[in-house]
Amino acid sequence: MSDTPFGFGLPPEEPENGDGKEKDQSGGGQGPANPFGFGLPGFGGPGGDNPFAAMFGSMNPNDLGAAFQQIGQMLSYEGGPVNWDMAQQIARQTVSQGTPDGTKDASVGPTDRAWVEETVRLADLWLDGVTSLPSGSGSAVAWSRAEWVEATLPVWRELVDPVAERVGAAMGQVLPEEMQAMAGPLIGVMRSMGGAMFGTQMGQAVGVLAGEVVGSSDIGLPLGPTGKSALLPLNVAAFGKDLSVPEEEVRLYLALREAAHQRLFAHVPWLRSHLFGAVEGYARGIKVDTSKLEDMVGQLDPSNPQQLQDALQQGMFQPEDTPAQKAALARLETALALVEGWVDAVVHEAAKPRLGSADALRETLRRRRASGGPAEQTFATLIGLELRPRRLRDASRLWASLSDARGTDGRDALWAHPDMLPTASDLDDPDGFVHREQLDFSELDKLLGEAASGRDTAPDEGDRDGEDGDRDGDDSK
Protein backbone atom coordinates (compact mmCIF):
# COMPACT_ATOMS: atom_id res chain seq x y z
CA MET A 1 0.00 0.00 0.00
CA SER A 2 1.16 3.53 -0.65
CA ASP A 3 1.99 5.45 2.51
CA THR A 4 0.34 8.55 1.12
CA PRO A 5 -2.28 7.32 -1.31
CA PHE A 6 -3.78 10.78 -1.51
CA GLY A 7 -0.67 12.80 -0.66
CA PHE A 8 -1.05 16.13 -2.38
CA GLY A 9 2.55 17.29 -2.26
CA LEU A 10 3.00 20.54 -4.14
CA PRO A 11 5.07 20.26 -7.32
CA PRO A 12 7.79 22.93 -7.41
CA GLU A 13 7.63 25.35 -10.30
CA GLU A 14 10.84 25.96 -12.19
CA PRO A 15 11.91 29.54 -11.45
CA GLU A 16 13.18 31.95 -14.02
CA ASN A 17 16.64 33.46 -14.38
CA GLY A 18 17.02 37.15 -14.72
CA ASP A 19 17.06 36.78 -18.47
CA GLY A 20 13.65 35.16 -18.45
CA LYS A 21 14.96 31.66 -19.15
CA GLU A 22 14.08 28.71 -16.99
CA LYS A 23 16.69 27.44 -14.60
CA ASP A 24 17.70 23.81 -14.76
CA GLN A 25 17.11 22.74 -11.17
CA SER A 26 18.03 19.11 -11.36
CA GLY A 27 20.17 18.61 -14.39
CA GLY A 28 18.61 17.98 -17.76
CA GLY A 29 15.51 19.97 -16.91
CA GLN A 30 13.90 17.22 -14.83
CA GLY A 31 10.45 17.72 -13.46
CA PRO A 32 9.39 17.71 -9.84
CA ALA A 33 10.53 14.89 -7.60
CA ASN A 34 6.88 14.11 -6.84
CA PRO A 35 5.08 14.62 -10.14
CA PHE A 36 1.83 13.37 -8.65
CA GLY A 37 1.57 15.98 -5.88
CA PHE A 38 -0.97 18.76 -5.70
CA GLY A 39 -1.10 21.68 -3.30
CA LEU A 40 -4.53 22.88 -2.29
CA PRO A 41 -5.25 26.49 -3.24
CA GLY A 42 -4.17 28.79 -0.47
CA PHE A 43 -1.71 31.55 0.19
CA GLY A 44 1.87 31.66 -0.92
CA GLY A 45 4.48 33.28 -3.07
CA PRO A 46 6.03 32.31 -6.38
CA GLY A 47 7.77 29.12 -7.33
CA GLY A 48 7.04 26.04 -5.30
CA ASP A 49 4.42 27.85 -3.20
CA ASN A 50 2.28 28.67 -6.22
CA PRO A 51 -0.79 26.41 -5.80
CA PHE A 52 -1.63 26.71 -9.49
CA ALA A 53 1.87 25.96 -10.76
CA ALA A 54 0.74 22.66 -12.26
CA MET A 55 -1.98 24.44 -14.19
CA PHE A 56 -0.32 27.68 -15.28
CA GLY A 57 3.43 26.93 -15.21
CA SER A 58 5.72 29.96 -15.04
CA MET A 59 3.19 32.76 -14.98
CA ASN A 60 3.71 35.85 -17.04
CA PRO A 61 1.96 38.91 -15.54
CA ASN A 62 0.42 39.55 -18.93
CA ASP A 63 -1.38 36.20 -18.66
CA LEU A 64 -2.94 36.82 -15.24
CA GLY A 65 -6.29 37.68 -16.79
CA ALA A 66 -6.47 34.34 -18.55
CA ALA A 67 -5.24 32.60 -15.41
CA PHE A 68 -8.00 34.07 -13.27
CA GLN A 69 -10.51 33.17 -15.94
CA GLN A 70 -9.37 29.54 -15.64
CA ILE A 71 -9.61 29.75 -11.87
CA GLY A 72 -13.19 30.96 -12.25
CA GLN A 73 -13.99 28.04 -14.52
CA MET A 74 -12.48 25.71 -11.96
CA LEU A 75 -14.58 27.08 -9.11
CA SER A 76 -17.75 27.00 -11.19
CA TYR A 77 -17.33 23.33 -12.09
CA GLU A 78 -20.52 21.40 -11.35
CA GLY A 79 -19.74 18.00 -12.83
CA GLY A 80 -18.80 14.72 -11.16
CA PRO A 81 -16.26 14.06 -8.42
CA VAL A 82 -13.30 14.69 -10.77
CA ASN A 83 -12.91 17.71 -13.03
CA TRP A 84 -11.95 15.71 -16.11
CA ASP A 85 -11.76 18.76 -18.34
CA MET A 86 -9.02 20.05 -16.07
CA ALA A 87 -7.39 16.62 -15.95
CA GLN A 88 -7.23 16.51 -19.74
CA GLN A 89 -5.83 20.02 -19.95
CA ILE A 90 -3.11 19.45 -17.36
CA ALA A 91 -2.18 16.05 -18.80
CA ARG A 92 -1.68 17.63 -22.22
CA GLN A 93 0.38 20.44 -20.70
CA THR A 94 2.51 17.95 -18.78
CA VAL A 95 3.14 15.96 -21.94
CA SER A 96 4.13 19.10 -23.86
CA GLN A 97 6.82 19.86 -21.27
CA GLY A 98 8.67 16.66 -22.20
CA THR A 99 10.26 13.93 -20.08
CA PRO A 100 13.16 14.38 -17.63
CA ASP A 101 15.65 13.29 -20.29
CA GLY A 102 14.60 16.23 -22.42
CA THR A 103 12.58 14.24 -24.97
CA LYS A 104 9.63 16.19 -26.33
CA ASP A 105 6.46 14.66 -27.69
CA ALA A 106 6.03 14.66 -31.44
CA SER A 107 3.43 13.65 -33.98
CA VAL A 108 3.85 10.12 -35.31
CA GLY A 109 5.09 10.08 -38.89
CA PRO A 110 4.30 7.59 -41.66
CA THR A 111 7.56 5.66 -41.11
CA ASP A 112 6.72 4.94 -37.47
CA ARG A 113 3.14 4.06 -38.31
CA ALA A 114 4.35 1.61 -40.92
CA TRP A 115 6.75 -0.26 -38.63
CA VAL A 116 4.14 -0.45 -35.85
CA GLU A 117 1.58 -2.00 -38.21
CA GLU A 118 4.13 -4.42 -39.67
CA THR A 119 5.57 -5.42 -36.29
CA VAL A 120 2.18 -6.06 -34.68
CA ARG A 121 1.13 -8.10 -37.71
CA LEU A 122 4.27 -10.25 -37.38
CA ALA A 123 3.78 -10.57 -33.62
CA ASP A 124 0.25 -11.86 -34.18
CA LEU A 125 1.56 -14.49 -36.58
CA TRP A 126 4.03 -15.71 -33.98
CA LEU A 127 1.34 -15.82 -31.29
CA ASP A 128 -0.90 -17.97 -33.50
CA GLY A 129 1.43 -20.89 -32.83
CA VAL A 130 1.50 -20.61 -29.04
CA THR A 131 -2.09 -19.84 -28.01
CA SER A 132 -5.54 -21.02 -29.02
CA LEU A 133 -6.97 -17.51 -28.50
CA PRO A 134 -7.29 -15.81 -31.91
CA SER A 135 -5.96 -12.37 -32.70
CA GLY A 136 -7.61 -9.53 -30.82
CA SER A 137 -5.98 -6.78 -32.85
CA GLY A 138 -8.46 -5.45 -35.34
CA SER A 139 -5.96 -2.71 -36.07
CA ALA A 140 -2.50 -1.58 -35.01
CA VAL A 141 -1.93 2.09 -34.23
CA ALA A 142 1.08 4.24 -33.42
CA TRP A 143 0.34 6.87 -30.80
CA SER A 144 2.10 9.99 -29.69
CA ARG A 145 2.08 10.64 -25.95
CA ALA A 146 -0.74 13.14 -26.34
CA GLU A 147 -2.77 10.59 -28.30
CA TRP A 148 -2.22 8.05 -25.51
CA VAL A 149 -3.64 10.58 -23.03
CA GLU A 150 -6.75 11.16 -25.12
CA ALA A 151 -7.32 7.44 -25.74
CA THR A 152 -6.94 6.31 -22.12
CA LEU A 153 -8.68 9.07 -20.15
CA PRO A 154 -12.14 7.43 -20.48
CA VAL A 155 -10.84 4.30 -18.76
CA TRP A 156 -9.05 6.25 -16.05
CA ARG A 157 -12.35 7.98 -15.42
CA GLU A 158 -14.10 4.66 -14.93
CA LEU A 159 -11.42 3.53 -12.49
CA VAL A 160 -11.01 6.69 -10.42
CA ASP A 161 -14.53 8.16 -10.18
CA PRO A 162 -15.81 5.67 -7.56
CA VAL A 163 -12.91 6.49 -5.25
CA ALA A 164 -13.19 10.23 -5.79
CA GLU A 165 -16.93 10.05 -5.11
CA ARG A 166 -16.30 8.35 -1.79
CA VAL A 167 -13.64 10.84 -0.74
CA GLY A 168 -15.74 13.80 -1.83
CA ALA A 169 -18.67 12.60 0.26
CA ALA A 170 -16.42 12.24 3.28
CA MET A 171 -15.06 15.77 2.87
CA GLY A 172 -18.62 17.12 2.78
CA GLN A 173 -19.28 15.49 6.14
CA VAL A 174 -16.53 17.42 7.90
CA LEU A 175 -18.85 20.36 8.63
CA PRO A 176 -21.32 19.81 11.49
CA GLU A 177 -24.82 18.97 10.31
CA GLU A 178 -26.29 22.29 11.48
CA MET A 179 -23.59 24.17 9.57
CA GLN A 180 -24.17 22.15 6.42
CA ALA A 181 -27.73 23.49 6.23
CA MET A 182 -26.42 27.07 6.45
CA ALA A 183 -23.39 26.70 4.22
CA GLY A 184 -24.91 25.50 0.96
CA PRO A 185 -22.84 27.78 -1.29
CA LEU A 186 -19.67 26.96 0.65
CA ILE A 187 -20.26 23.23 0.25
CA GLY A 188 -20.70 23.78 -3.48
CA VAL A 189 -17.36 25.56 -3.61
CA MET A 190 -15.75 22.75 -1.61
CA ARG A 191 -17.08 20.22 -4.11
CA SER A 192 -15.76 22.28 -6.99
CA MET A 193 -12.38 22.48 -5.30
CA GLY A 194 -12.47 18.75 -4.62
CA GLY A 195 -13.14 18.09 -8.31
CA ALA A 196 -10.28 20.43 -9.19
CA MET A 197 -8.00 18.74 -6.68
CA PHE A 198 -8.60 15.30 -8.17
CA GLY A 199 -8.54 16.65 -11.71
CA THR A 200 -5.17 18.29 -11.20
CA GLN A 201 -3.69 15.22 -9.56
CA MET A 202 -5.12 12.97 -12.23
CA GLY A 203 -3.87 15.18 -15.05
CA GLN A 204 -0.36 15.31 -13.66
CA ALA A 205 -0.25 11.57 -13.10
CA VAL A 206 -1.51 10.64 -16.56
CA GLY A 207 0.74 13.23 -18.19
CA VAL A 208 3.85 11.84 -16.51
CA LEU A 209 2.82 8.27 -17.23
CA ALA A 210 2.39 9.11 -20.93
CA GLY A 211 6.14 9.70 -21.06
CA GLU A 212 6.89 6.17 -19.80
CA VAL A 213 4.40 3.66 -21.22
CA VAL A 214 5.19 1.77 -24.41
CA GLY A 215 1.65 0.60 -25.25
CA SER A 216 -1.94 0.50 -24.05
CA SER A 217 -1.58 -2.40 -21.62
CA ASP A 218 1.47 -1.64 -19.47
CA ILE A 219 -0.40 -1.88 -16.16
CA GLY A 220 -2.26 -5.09 -16.98
CA LEU A 221 -5.59 -3.31 -17.49
CA PRO A 222 -7.19 -2.55 -20.87
CA LEU A 223 -6.68 1.20 -21.01
CA GLY A 224 -7.17 1.63 -24.75
CA PRO A 225 -10.05 0.95 -27.12
CA THR A 226 -11.00 -2.69 -27.64
CA GLY A 227 -9.31 -4.36 -30.59
CA LYS A 228 -6.55 -1.77 -31.02
CA SER A 229 -2.96 -2.78 -30.45
CA ALA A 230 -1.13 0.45 -29.73
CA LEU A 231 2.56 1.27 -29.40
CA LEU A 232 4.24 4.59 -28.70
CA PRO A 233 7.30 4.73 -31.01
CA LEU A 234 8.98 7.53 -29.04
CA ASN A 235 8.75 5.59 -25.77
CA VAL A 236 9.67 2.28 -27.39
CA ALA A 237 12.89 3.88 -28.59
CA ALA A 238 13.57 5.31 -25.12
CA PHE A 239 12.91 1.91 -23.52
CA GLY A 240 15.50 0.15 -25.68
CA LYS A 241 18.06 2.94 -25.68
CA ASP A 242 20.37 1.56 -22.97
CA LEU A 243 19.63 -2.17 -23.28
CA SER A 244 22.29 -3.14 -25.84
CA VAL A 245 19.59 -5.03 -27.71
CA PRO A 246 18.85 -4.65 -31.44
CA GLU A 247 16.07 -2.13 -32.00
CA GLU A 248 14.08 -4.57 -34.11
CA GLU A 249 14.05 -7.16 -31.32
CA VAL A 250 12.88 -4.59 -28.77
CA ARG A 251 10.05 -3.60 -31.08
CA LEU A 252 9.00 -7.19 -31.71
CA TYR A 253 9.06 -8.18 -28.05
CA LEU A 254 6.96 -5.19 -26.98
CA ALA A 255 4.57 -5.80 -29.89
CA LEU A 256 4.20 -9.43 -28.76
CA ARG A 257 3.21 -8.28 -25.28
CA GLU A 258 0.71 -5.74 -26.60
CA ALA A 259 -0.84 -8.24 -29.03
CA ALA A 260 -1.03 -10.95 -26.34
CA HIS A 261 -2.90 -8.60 -23.99
CA GLN A 262 -5.31 -7.76 -26.79
CA ARG A 263 -6.06 -11.45 -27.41
CA LEU A 264 -6.82 -12.02 -23.78
CA PHE A 265 -9.11 -9.03 -23.29
CA ALA A 266 -10.86 -9.50 -26.64
CA HIS A 267 -11.69 -13.19 -26.23
CA VAL A 268 -12.25 -13.50 -22.46
CA PRO A 269 -15.42 -11.37 -22.25
CA TRP A 270 -15.75 -11.45 -18.48
CA LEU A 271 -12.13 -10.46 -17.75
CA ARG A 272 -12.48 -6.70 -18.01
CA SER A 273 -15.46 -6.51 -15.66
CA HIS A 274 -13.72 -8.96 -13.33
CA LEU A 275 -10.66 -6.72 -12.98
CA PHE A 276 -12.58 -3.44 -12.79
CA GLY A 277 -15.01 -4.99 -10.31
CA ALA A 278 -12.10 -5.95 -8.09
CA VAL A 279 -10.78 -2.37 -8.20
CA GLU A 280 -14.23 -1.01 -7.35
CA GLY A 281 -14.66 -3.56 -4.57
CA TYR A 282 -11.38 -2.42 -3.09
CA ALA A 283 -12.39 1.23 -3.43
CA ARG A 284 -15.59 0.60 -1.48
CA GLY A 285 -13.48 -0.40 1.51
CA ILE A 286 -11.48 2.82 1.59
CA LYS A 287 -12.43 5.01 4.52
CA VAL A 288 -11.60 8.60 5.27
CA ASP A 289 -10.46 9.58 8.75
CA THR A 290 -12.92 12.45 9.14
CA SER A 291 -11.78 13.14 12.69
CA LYS A 292 -8.27 13.84 11.42
CA LEU A 293 -9.74 16.03 8.68
CA GLU A 294 -11.82 17.95 11.25
CA ASP A 295 -8.79 18.51 13.48
CA MET A 296 -6.78 19.68 10.51
CA VAL A 297 -9.43 22.20 9.44
CA GLY A 298 -9.84 23.46 13.00
CA GLN A 299 -6.12 24.04 13.52
CA LEU A 300 -5.38 25.42 10.07
CA ASP A 301 -3.28 28.56 9.95
CA PRO A 302 -4.20 30.34 6.69
CA SER A 303 -0.77 31.98 6.60
CA ASN A 304 0.95 28.58 6.55
CA PRO A 305 -0.23 26.56 3.52
CA GLN A 306 2.59 24.07 4.06
CA GLN A 307 0.83 22.99 7.25
CA LEU A 308 -2.18 21.86 5.22
CA GLN A 309 -0.02 19.92 2.79
CA ASP A 310 1.89 18.20 5.61
CA ALA A 311 -1.38 17.18 7.25
CA LEU A 312 -2.76 15.76 4.02
CA GLN A 313 0.42 13.74 3.48
CA GLN A 314 0.05 12.00 6.86
CA GLY A 315 -2.47 9.62 5.34
CA MET A 316 -6.14 10.32 5.98
CA PHE A 317 -7.23 7.74 3.43
CA GLN A 318 -6.73 4.17 4.53
CA PRO A 319 -8.26 0.80 3.56
CA GLU A 320 -10.49 -0.88 6.07
CA ASP A 321 -8.93 -3.96 7.60
CA THR A 322 -11.98 -6.14 7.03
CA PRO A 323 -12.39 -9.61 5.50
CA ALA A 324 -14.23 -8.09 2.53
CA GLN A 325 -11.44 -5.58 1.89
CA LYS A 326 -8.75 -8.25 2.18
CA ALA A 327 -10.69 -10.49 -0.17
CA ALA A 328 -11.06 -7.68 -2.74
CA LEU A 329 -7.34 -6.95 -2.61
CA ALA A 330 -6.40 -10.64 -2.91
CA ARG A 331 -8.83 -11.06 -5.79
CA LEU A 332 -7.31 -8.15 -7.69
CA GLU A 333 -3.69 -9.13 -7.03
CA THR A 334 -4.32 -12.70 -8.14
CA ALA A 335 -6.18 -11.62 -11.28
CA LEU A 336 -3.38 -9.24 -12.24
CA ALA A 337 -0.76 -11.92 -11.64
CA LEU A 338 -2.68 -14.42 -13.80
CA VAL A 339 -3.07 -11.91 -16.65
CA GLU A 340 0.56 -10.82 -16.57
CA GLY A 341 1.78 -14.37 -16.01
CA TRP A 342 -0.13 -15.69 -19.02
CA VAL A 343 1.19 -12.89 -21.23
CA ASP A 344 4.72 -13.47 -19.96
CA ALA A 345 4.51 -17.21 -20.64
CA VAL A 346 3.04 -17.09 -24.15
CA VAL A 347 5.26 -14.19 -25.26
CA HIS A 348 8.36 -16.02 -24.10
CA GLU A 349 7.24 -19.18 -25.87
CA ALA A 350 6.78 -17.22 -29.10
CA ALA A 351 9.95 -15.12 -28.79
CA LYS A 352 12.49 -17.63 -27.43
CA PRO A 353 13.11 -19.51 -30.72
CA ARG A 354 13.25 -16.32 -32.77
CA LEU A 355 14.86 -13.53 -30.72
CA GLY A 356 18.34 -13.89 -29.28
CA SER A 357 17.58 -11.27 -26.64
CA ALA A 358 14.28 -12.84 -25.51
CA ASP A 359 15.61 -13.83 -22.08
CA ALA A 360 17.14 -10.42 -21.40
CA LEU A 361 14.02 -8.55 -22.49
CA ARG A 362 11.82 -10.83 -20.42
CA GLU A 363 13.85 -10.21 -17.28
CA THR A 364 13.95 -6.46 -17.89
CA LEU A 365 10.18 -6.26 -18.14
CA ARG A 366 9.65 -8.57 -15.16
CA ARG A 367 11.81 -6.35 -12.99
CA ARG A 368 10.10 -3.25 -14.26
CA ARG A 369 6.71 -4.62 -13.21
CA ALA A 370 7.86 -6.19 -9.96
CA SER A 371 9.86 -3.22 -8.67
CA GLY A 372 6.99 -0.79 -9.06
CA GLY A 373 7.38 1.31 -12.15
CA PRO A 374 5.67 4.59 -12.95
CA ALA A 375 2.38 2.92 -13.82
CA GLU A 376 2.09 1.37 -10.39
CA GLN A 377 3.10 4.60 -8.66
CA THR A 378 0.47 6.50 -10.61
CA PHE A 379 -2.34 4.27 -9.44
CA ALA A 380 -0.98 4.02 -5.90
CA THR A 381 -1.06 7.81 -5.73
CA LEU A 382 -4.54 8.08 -7.16
CA ILE A 383 -6.44 5.52 -5.09
CA GLY A 384 -3.90 4.08 -2.67
CA LEU A 385 -3.71 0.80 -4.54
CA GLU A 386 -0.59 -0.74 -6.02
CA LEU A 387 -1.26 -2.52 -9.30
CA ARG A 388 1.81 -4.68 -8.88
CA PRO A 389 1.54 -8.33 -9.97
CA ARG A 390 3.52 -9.50 -6.95
CA ARG A 391 3.31 -13.13 -8.02
CA LEU A 392 4.12 -12.68 -11.67
CA ARG A 393 6.88 -15.29 -11.69
CA ASP A 394 4.73 -17.86 -9.87
CA ALA A 395 1.86 -17.30 -12.29
CA SER A 396 4.14 -17.49 -15.33
CA ARG A 397 5.59 -20.81 -14.15
CA LEU A 398 2.10 -22.18 -13.56
CA TRP A 399 0.90 -21.25 -17.07
CA ALA A 400 4.06 -22.74 -18.62
CA SER A 401 3.57 -25.96 -16.65
CA LEU A 402 -0.06 -26.11 -17.73
CA SER A 403 1.05 -25.80 -21.34
CA ASP A 404 3.45 -28.70 -20.92
CA ALA A 405 0.92 -30.90 -19.12
CA ARG A 406 -2.32 -30.09 -20.93
CA GLY A 407 -1.22 -28.46 -24.16
CA THR A 408 -2.07 -25.01 -25.45
CA ASP A 409 -5.79 -25.70 -25.74
CA GLY A 410 -6.02 -27.15 -22.24
CA ARG A 411 -4.15 -24.20 -20.77
CA ASP A 412 -6.20 -21.52 -22.51
CA ALA A 413 -9.49 -23.30 -21.82
CA LEU A 414 -9.18 -22.19 -18.20
CA TRP A 415 -10.11 -18.66 -19.28
CA ALA A 416 -13.60 -19.89 -20.14
CA HIS A 417 -14.89 -18.97 -16.68
CA PRO A 418 -13.39 -17.18 -13.65
CA ASP A 419 -14.15 -20.16 -11.41
CA MET A 420 -11.84 -22.32 -13.51
CA LEU A 421 -8.79 -20.10 -13.00
CA PRO A 422 -6.06 -20.88 -10.48
CA THR A 423 -6.47 -19.24 -7.09
CA ALA A 424 -3.93 -17.61 -4.81
CA SER A 425 -3.44 -20.94 -3.03
CA ASP A 426 -2.86 -22.62 -6.39
CA LEU A 427 0.02 -20.22 -6.99
CA ASP A 428 1.50 -21.62 -3.76
CA ASP A 429 1.22 -25.16 -5.14
CA PRO A 430 1.36 -24.90 -8.94
CA ASP A 431 2.26 -28.58 -9.43
CA GLY A 432 -0.79 -29.61 -7.43
CA PHE A 433 -3.04 -27.52 -9.65
CA VAL A 434 -1.41 -28.62 -12.90
CA HIS A 435 -1.69 -32.33 -12.13
CA ARG A 436 -5.02 -32.18 -10.36
CA GLU A 437 -7.55 -34.53 -11.93
CA GLN A 438 -9.46 -32.52 -14.50
CA LEU A 439 -13.22 -32.47 -14.55
CA ASP A 440 -14.73 -34.37 -17.45
CA PHE A 441 -17.07 -31.71 -18.80
CA SER A 442 -18.05 -33.93 -21.71
CA GLU A 443 -19.69 -36.36 -19.25
CA LEU A 444 -21.47 -33.45 -17.60
CA ASP A 445 -22.71 -32.23 -20.97
CA LYS A 446 -23.98 -35.74 -21.70
CA LEU A 447 -25.91 -35.87 -18.42
CA LEU A 448 -27.39 -32.43 -19.01
CA GLY A 449 -28.35 -33.43 -22.53
CA GLU A 450 -30.09 -36.57 -21.27
CA ALA A 451 -31.94 -34.56 -18.62
CA ALA A 452 -33.07 -32.06 -21.21
CA SER A 453 -34.16 -34.86 -23.49
CA GLY A 454 -36.13 -36.41 -20.65
CA ARG A 455 -37.96 -33.14 -20.05
CA ASP A 456 -38.79 -32.90 -23.72
CA THR A 457 -40.36 -36.38 -23.77
CA ALA A 458 -42.16 -36.11 -20.44
CA PRO A 459 -45.31 -34.44 -21.82
CA ASP A 460 -45.64 -37.14 -24.49
CA GLU A 461 -45.45 -39.81 -21.83
CA GLY A 462 -48.04 -37.97 -19.81
CA ASP A 463 -50.30 -37.78 -22.81
CA ARG A 464 -49.93 -41.50 -23.36
CA ASP A 465 -50.77 -42.16 -19.73
CA GLY A 466 -53.77 -39.93 -20.06
CA GLU A 467 -54.85 -41.73 -23.18
CA ASP A 468 -54.43 -45.08 -21.48
CA GLY A 469 -56.40 -43.83 -18.54
CA ASP A 470 -59.17 -42.67 -20.82
CA ARG A 471 -59.20 -46.01 -22.52
CA ASP A 472 -59.24 -47.77 -19.18
CA GLY A 473 -62.05 -45.55 -18.17
CA ASP A 474 -63.89 -46.28 -21.35
CA ASP A 475 -63.39 -50.02 -20.81
CA SER A 476 -64.84 -49.80 -17.36
CA LYS A 477 -68.06 -48.34 -18.60
Side-chain angles (χ1 to χ4, degrees):
M1 292 301 303
S2 171
D3 292 333
T4 58
F6 287 92
F8 307 119
L10 190 62
E13 179 187 6
E14 292 189 4
E16 294 183 350
N17 291 325
D19 58 1
K21 295 181 179 180
E22 291 182 352
K23 286 183 180 179
D24 186 350
Q25 288 183 309
S26 53
Q30 291 188 2
N34 176 16
F36 309 106
F38 174 60
L40 293 178
F43 300 85
D49 293 329
N50 180 355
F52 300 104
M55 186 171 183
F56 303 116
S58 299
M59 282 191 182
N60 185 316
N62 297 328
D63 296 330
L64 283 178
F68 282 114
Q69 182 179 6
Q70 287 183 291
I71 293 174
Q73 293 173 352
M74 176 183 70
L75 294 177
S76 62
Y77 174 74
E78 297 180 353
V82 179
N83 189 330
W84 288 102
D85 293 337
M86 179 178 290
Q88 180 187 36
Q89 178 185 3
I90 293 177
R92 293 294 295 262
Q93 291 176 351
T94 303
V95 164
S96 69
Q97 293 169 6
T99 49
D101 64 1
T103 304
K104 297 285 188 178
D105 193 23
S107 299
V108 179
T111 301
D112 282 334
R113 295 189 188 281
W115 77 249
V116 167
E117 292 174 0
E118 181 181 346
T119 303
V120 171
R121 189 181 304 114
L122 180 58
D124 256 332
L125 287 175
W126 289 4
L127 289 172
D128 284 340
V130 296
T131 174
S132 61
L133 297 180
S135 173
S137 304
S139 61
V141 294
W143 283 340
S144 66
R145 293 166 179 170
E147 287 173 322
W148 181 89
V149 168
E150 297 293 340
T152 62
L153 270 179
V155 180
W156 288 115
R157 180 171 189 162
E158 184 177 350
L159 288 167
V160 175
D161 267 353
V163 185
E165 185 74 50
R166 185 173 184 83
V167 174
M171 292 178 69
Q173 295 170 2
V174 172
L175 292 176
E177 186 174 348
E178 59 274 12
M179 290 185 63
Q180 291 185 26
M182 301 171 57
L186 177 59
I187 292 177
V189 172
M190 289 179 62
R191 288 174 179 168
S192 296
M193 292 306 302
M197 179 177 69
F198 275 103
T200 301
Q201 189 183 20
M202 187 70 214
Q204 291 173 336
V206 172
V208 171
L209 185 56
E212 301 283 349
V213 295
V214 296
S216 70
S217 55
D218 285 37
I219 66 171
L221 295 173
L223 293 180
T226 302
K228 275 191 178 180
S229 288
L231 293 175
L232 283 71
L234 189 62
N235 293 355
V236 170
F239 174 84
K241 183 178 179 182
D242 300 320
L243 293 182
S244 300
V245 172
E247 182 181 56
E248 188 63 26
E249 295 199 11
V250 172
R251 291 175 173 180
L252 274 166
Y253 201 88
L254 296 178
L256 282 167
R257 287 184 55 83
E258 177 71 12
H261 277 102
Q262 291 297 331
R263 288 182 182 232
L264 202 55
F265 288 116
H267 299 291
V268 182
W270 54 265
L271 183 56
R272 187 182 191 278
S273 60
H274 180 74
L275 289 168
F276 281 50
V279 172
E280 188 173 350
Y282 178 84
R284 283 196 298 269
I286 292 178
K287 63 180 179 180
V288 180
D289 190 343
T290 53
S291 62
K292 184 180 292 187
L293 189 58
E294 290 172 0
D295 292 341
M296 180 190 67
V297 173
Q299 300 172 10
L300 179 62
D301 179 2
S303 65
N304 185 8
Q306 186 62 41
Q307 179 189 48
L308 176 61
Q309 295 179 59
D310 292 342
L312 286 169
Q313 290 177 352
Q314 292 174 5
M316 292 184 301
F317 310 94
Q318 300 293 337
E320 290 198 41
D321 189 18
T322 64
Q325 181 73 345
K326 291 178 179 178
L329 181 58
R331 177 183 170 216
L332 179 59
E333 288 183 340
T334 301
L336 285 172
L338 291 174
V339 168
E340 292 293 278
W342 183 88
V343 168
D344 180 81
V346 299
V347 166
H348 186 69
E349 189 177 348
K352 179 69 173 175
R354 300 176 174 94
L355 302 180
S357 58
D359 289 333
L361 288 168
R362 182 190 204 186
E363 188 60 28
T364 298
L365 285 159
R366 279 182 167 186
R367 289 181 179 180
R368 180 178 177 174
R369 288 295 278 129
S371 62
E376 178 203 331
Q377 182 56 49
T378 296
F379 214 75
T381 303
L382 291 171
I383 69 168
L385 177 63
E386 295 178 348
L387 287 176
R388 184 187 304 179
R390 303 177 187 277
R391 309 198 64 180
L392 167 60
R393 293 177 187 270
D394 293 336
S396 181
R397 281 194 294 269
L398 187 148
W399 287 118
S401 298
L402 281 168
S403 183
D404 293 338
R406 304 185 186 182
T408 298
D409 291 345
R411 177 199 65 198
D412 294 344
L414 294 178
W415 290 106
H417 192 277
D419 291 343
M420 296 175 65
L421 286 178
T423 63
S425 60
D426 292 324
L427 294 180
D428 296 329
D429 181 23
D431 290 337
F433 180 83
V434 169
H435 299 294
R436 185 181 304 160
E437 184 177 355
Q438 301 179 51
L439 294 175
D440 188 350
F441 287 101
S442 62
E443 185 65 23
L444 179 60
D445 289 340
K446 180 181 177 182
L447 291 173
L448 291 174
E450 291 177 350
S453 177
R455 285 195 299 270
D456 291 340
T457 59
D460 295 337
E461 293 173 354
D463 290 343
R464 286 195 298 271
D465 290 342
E467 292 171 0
D468 290 342
D470 290 342
R471 284 194 298 269
D472 291 341
D474 291 339
D475 292 342
S476 63
K477 287 181 182 178

